[in-house]
């Protein structure tokens, strides 16, 4: 019997496995796909995650990028260079996720990939996890199987808030730009935006909606964007997937089990950042389960409180900012995005050096002022 079974080998599951195994706990990671496995994702990662680990992430980083470009419907460009912070990491999820799991394995965690979980059952003091390859047992359980995984429902949690996103992977032999930059286009997707993250072997391009019940034709939007960007779609792969956005404080613990990553709906509702919050919850889940194994009867409840306080309280402000921005995105682009200071502020937020609560109120007022002539001058 394992101290903890982790379902899902993404950033949350890999992080939790690493920190639990490093504390000497017996850990089993179950992953339905064979690793390394493909995952459609922009792959932007804040270098701030490095502070949570004691190993070098360099082998898992595809590019480090300091230049960002913004457009409104592919017009009115604004280019910014990150000057006072570390470049943004861009990763391929097949490489990055597998690398994290390998670090956990070096600490003693066991991986069983190509092993789909078919059901779970709590038996008095332990979880029995049924798989296509037979049952396994663990004292504790971490559900880190993503936005589409069944674990959240099986553990009795209500359905989380999800939005739709489309993704297009365009593989090229060489980068189009001599100095690659991350590109965001606003206006082409209603109540959302297009993102374009260059990687060493091509581009990860996606779009999503963040407000209301919009469900646009992602394929048409991304095809038009790629043609305008000068990319050949003959070698592209197209996907559609949910985004599990944070939607207010929520319970993340139950009997001997925790939710982490997108299973816990921790994606930033303004930027759609998902990797850093997933890893944050994985780290905190490991800390909580380690304490629970050591006899702390309040550890799992305190995990919920910690995530709600340290991540969720700021996501309230991210929601408010998203609501104001996507109501008037063209105004938001002109009075917000195009301000040189805006990128600096967002980079600080992504790196954990600043919080939405410190800037959202002023940003919402600026958006309102942009709608009313004479205000905000």
């Amino acid at each position: 019997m394992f101290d903890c079974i982790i379902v899902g080998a993404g950033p949350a599951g890999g992080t939790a496995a690493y920190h639990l195994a490093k504390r000497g706990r017996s850990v089993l990671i179950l992953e339905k796909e064979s690793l390394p496995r493909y995952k459609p994702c922009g792959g932007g990662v804040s270098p701030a995650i490095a502070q949570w680990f004691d190993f070098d992430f360099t082998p898992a980083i595809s590019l480090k990028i300091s230049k960002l470009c913004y457009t409104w419907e592919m017009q009115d460009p604004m280019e910014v260079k990150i000057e006072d912070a570390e470049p943004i990491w861009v990763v391929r999820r097949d490489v990055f996720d597998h690398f994290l799991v390998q670090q956990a394995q070096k600490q003693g965690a066991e991986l069983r990939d190509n092993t789909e979980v078919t059901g779970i059952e709590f038996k008095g003091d332990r979880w029995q996890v049924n798989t296509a390859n037979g049952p396994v047992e663990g004292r504790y359980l971490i559900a880190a199987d993503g936005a589409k995984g069944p674990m959240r429902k099986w553990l009795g949690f209500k359905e989380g808030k999800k939005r739709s996103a489309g993704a297009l992977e365009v593989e090229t032999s060489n980068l189009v730009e001599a100095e690659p930059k991350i590109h965001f286009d606003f206006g082409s997707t209603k109540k959302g935006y297009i993102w374009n993250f260059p990687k060493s072997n091509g581009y990860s391009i996606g779009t999503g909606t963040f407000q209301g019940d919009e469900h646009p034709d992602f394929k048409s939007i991304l095809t038009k964007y790629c043609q305008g960007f000068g990319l050949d779609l003959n070698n592209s792969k197209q996907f559609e997937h949910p985004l599990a956005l944070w939607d207010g404080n929520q319970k993340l613990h139950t009997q001997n089990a925790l939710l982490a990553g997108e299973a816990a709906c921790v994606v930033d509702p303004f930027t759609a950042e998902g990797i850093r919050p997933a890893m944050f919850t994985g780290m905190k889940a490991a800390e909580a389960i380690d304490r629970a194994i050591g006899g702390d009867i309040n550890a799992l409840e305190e995990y919920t409180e910690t995530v709600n306080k340290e991540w969720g309280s700021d996501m309230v402000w991210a929601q408010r900012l998203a609501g104001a921005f996507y109501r008037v995105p063209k105004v938001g682009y002109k009075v917000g995005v195009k301000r040189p200071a805006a990128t600096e502020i967002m980079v600080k937020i992504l790196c954990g050096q600043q919080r939405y609560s410190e800037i959202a109120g002023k940003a919402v007022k600026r958006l309102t002022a942009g709608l009313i002539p004479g205000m905000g001058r």
Side-chain angles (χ1 to χ4, degrees):
M1 184 173 67
F2 293 89
D3 288 325
C4 184
I5 297 173
I6 300 171
V7 181
T15 298
Y18 175 80
H19 285 291
L20 267 174
K22 190 173 176 62
R23 287 171 165 81
R25 305 304 184 182
S26 59
V27 179
L28 173 64
I29 309 166
L30 298 175
E31 166 60 44
K32 67 178 181 179
E33 306 288 346
S34 294
L35 296 183
R37 52 93 177 95
Y38 178 77
K39 169 79 173 177
C41 179
V45 181
S46 167
I49 65 162
Q51 66 186 307
W52 300 334
F53 301 88
D54 57 2
F55 55 81
D56 182 9
F57 274 90
T58 298
I61 301 170
S62 181
L63 291 175
K64 293 184 178 181
I65 300 181
S66 295
K67 292 186 73 174
L68 291 85
C69 180
Y70 310 101
T71 54
W72 176 264
E73 296 181 349
M74 294 298 290
Q75 304 293 322
D76 194 16
M78 171 72 179
E79 199 166 286
V80 180
K81 186 174 178 65
I82 301 171
E83 300 285 0
D84 300 323
E86 288 289 317
I88 295 172
W89 297 352
V90 181
V91 305
R92 288 177 47 187
R93 287 290 301 278
D94 54 346
V95 175
F96 185 80
D97 293 4
H98 192 205
F99 177 78
L100 257 182
V101 170
Q102 288 174 321
Q103 306 314 303
Q105 289 177 291
K106 289 178 182 178
Q107 298 296 328
E110 180 179 336
L111 168 68
R112 296 184 192 175
D113 58 352
N114 199 28
T115 302
E116 184 173 3
V117 174
T118 57
I120 56 174
E121 182 181 353
F122 192 66
K123 294 193 167 184
D125 63 347
R126 67 190 65 183
W127 281 99
Q128 177 177 299
V129 180
N130 299 318
T131 79
N133 301 327
V136 289
E137 291 188 337
R139 295 175 62 189
Y140 291 88
L141 186 61
I142 295 178
D145 56 338
K148 295 190 292 185
M151 291 291 294
R152 183 184 178 101
K153 180 179 179 181
W154 289 347
L155 286 169
F157 292 94
K158 67 178 183 179
E159 183 75 11
K161 178 181 179 181
K162 296 177 183 177
R163 289 286 179 265
S164 294
L168 190 69
E169 297 285 327
V170 182
E171 297 182 0
T172 62
S173 57
N174 296 296
L175 290 172
V176 174
E177 303 160 301
E179 186 177 2
K181 54 181 174 281
I182 297 169
H183 181 218
F184 298 100
D185 182 71
F186 299 89
S188 299
T189 300
K190 190 175 182 180
K191 295 186 178 178
Y193 64 90
I194 295 173
W195 58 84
N196 181 349
F197 286 83
K199 297 174 183 177
S200 58
N201 64 332
Y203 296 86
S204 287
I205 300 169
T207 186
T209 61
F210 305 99
Q211 295 283 310
D213 297 319
E214 302 295 328
H215 191 87
D217 183 349
F218 292 129
K219 183 176 180 180
S220 296
I221 292 170
L222 293 177
T223 298
K224 182 179 178 181
Y225 171 86
C226 286
Q227 291 171 343
F229 203 75
L231 293 177
D232 181 7
L233 296 181
N234 291 328
N235 296 319
S236 68
K237 303 173 184 177
Q238 299 190 24
F239 306 87
E240 189 165 335
H241 57 89
L243 290 172
L245 303 180
W246 183 270
D247 190 28
N249 286 1
Q250 53 184 318
K251 183 181 177 184
L252 301 174
H253 69 282
T254 187
Q255 183 70 55
N256 287 35
L258 299 175
L259 300 179
E262 284 206 62
C265 297
V266 293
V267 173
D268 184 321
F270 182 59
T271 65
E273 180 193 16
I275 296 176
R276 180 172 64 107
M279 297 176 79
F280 172 76
T281 56
M283 176 179 64
K284 293 300 179 181
E287 292 173 0
I289 286 179
D290 180 61
R291 296 201 312 272
I293 294 171
D296 184 348
I297 61 173
N298 299 314
L300 302 195
E301 181 179 356
E302 289 171 357
Y303 166 77
T304 288
E305 294 171 356
T306 296
V307 175
N308 283 327
K309 180 180 179 181
E310 296 186 25
W311 181 254
S313 63
D314 212 40
M315 291 303 99
V316 171
W317 290 98
Q319 283 180 313
R320 292 175 184 174
L321 185 56
F325 182 91
Y326 292 117
R327 277 198 302 271
V328 287
K330 194 166 187 178
V331 173
Y333 184 76
K334 290 183 178 295
V335 306
V337 174
K338 288 196 70 176
R339 293 176 63 237
T343 295
E344 181 181 345
I345 291 170
M346 288 310 302
V347 167
K348 287 183 177 179
I349 287 174
L350 293 173
C351 290
Q353 297 171 356
Q354 195 161 10
R355 295 174 65 84
Y356 280 111
S357 57
E358 297 168 353
I359 60 98
K362 186 176 181 180
V364 170
K365 288 181 180 179
R366 184 178 289 275
L367 288 170
T368 304
L371 284 172
I372 305 174
M375 287 189 66
R377 293 180 180 173

